[in-house]
């Protein structure tokens, strides 16, 4: 086993032995986000020099939901729960010999473009093994995105000592009923693994509902300069 594989093995096993992991999921209609991204991706790439993915949209929606429900952004320390009113967002990045979770500090203070730049930067440097040691510590919440590899539903292991981790899976066109008619829409499953020692199912569901509401109703066009 490589050094990073040993570290992952220890950390993941310890997480399952430490937390009382529970899980739930929502399905999100991403139709308007998909259309906006299609309209914005070419001018965005020309201006920024990299592709506009869905991850910044999800990250922006998650940050707001964490500020609304800060217990999901908390940490259990002994018999005390430390509640944070800021978001240091961990983004899971697949690399050749494993997985690493670089942290974007104060992600809640960034708009969509700022998050896109930060995510692209840490992902590139993670794959080039150029991250600094303090850039993989201090996260308050994490997002993992197995969707590009074809996964449609995930149950991730919590990145200790955080309370929860969100999985963002593959976006697919699916038939749905809208106003009693069948329509084809871009849909995605977003799931949350959470520590039942810190929060309960009602709050976990409220948090996911908030993320869903944000993604389905927010107008991101202004952030993209459209």
């Amino acid at each position: 086993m490589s050094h990073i594989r040993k570290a992952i093995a220890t950390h993941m096993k310890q997480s399952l032995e430490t937390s009382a992991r529970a899980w739930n999921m929502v399905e999100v209609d991403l139709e308007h986000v998909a259309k906006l991204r299609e309209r914005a991706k070419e001018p965005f790439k020309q201006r920024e020099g990299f592709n506009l993915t869905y991850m910044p949209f999800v990250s922006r929606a998650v940050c707001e939901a964490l500020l609304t429900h800060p217990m999901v952004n908390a940490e259990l320390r002994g018999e005390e729960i430390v509640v944070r009113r800021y978001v240091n967002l961990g983004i899971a990045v697949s690399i050749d010999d494993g997985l690493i979770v670089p942290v974007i500090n104060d992600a809640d203070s960034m708009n969509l473009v700022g998050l896109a730049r930060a995510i692209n930067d840490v992902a590139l440097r993670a794959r080039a093994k150029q991250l600094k040691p303090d850039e993989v510590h201090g996260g308050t919440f994490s997002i993992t995105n197995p969707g590009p590899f074809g996964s449609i539903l995930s149950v991730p292991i919590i990145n200790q000592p955080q309370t929860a981790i969100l999985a963002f899976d593959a976006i697919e066109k699916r038939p749905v009923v809208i106003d009693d008619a069948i329509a084809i829409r871009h849909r995605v499953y977003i799931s949350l693994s959470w520590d039942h020692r810190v929060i309960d199912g009602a709050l976990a569901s409220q948090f996911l509902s908030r993320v869903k509401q944000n993604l389905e109703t927010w107008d991101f066009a202004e952030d993209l300069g459209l």
Side-chain angles (χ1 to χ4, degrees), residues 1-44:
M1 295 175 72
S2 65
H3 173 73
I4 192 169
R5 190 77 257 159
K6 289 178 183 178
I8 292 171
T10 300
H11 192 57
M12 294 297 97
K13 186 171 184 292
Q14 182 184 42
S15 178
L16 289 178
E17 291 173 346
T18 300
S19 62
R21 186 180 65 166
W23 177 89
N24 59 346
M25 176 197 75
V26 294
E27 186 177 15
V28 180
D29 189 323
L30 280 182
E31 186 66 18
H32 87 278
V33 172
K35 289 181 177 178
L36 177 62
R37 176 178 170 270
E38 184 64 28
R39 184 157 56 100
K41 66 181 183 180
E42 285 306 321
F44 180 91

Side-chain angles (χ1 to χ4, degrees), residues 32-33 36 57 60-65 210 213-221:
H32 87 278
V33 172
L36 177 62
F57 295 92
R60 182 74 185 86
V62 163
C63 285
E64 192 277 341
R210 184 75 176 201
Q213 176 185 319
N214 292 346
L215 286 169
E216 291 182 345
T217 63
W218 276 3
D219 183 4
F220 293 97

Side-chain angles (χ1 to χ4, degrees), residues 22 24 194-206:
N24 59 346
W194 44 278
D195 191 341
H196 216 323
R197 299 176 304 164
V198 182
I199 63 174
D200 301 314
L203 180 54
S205 297
Q206 289 167 3

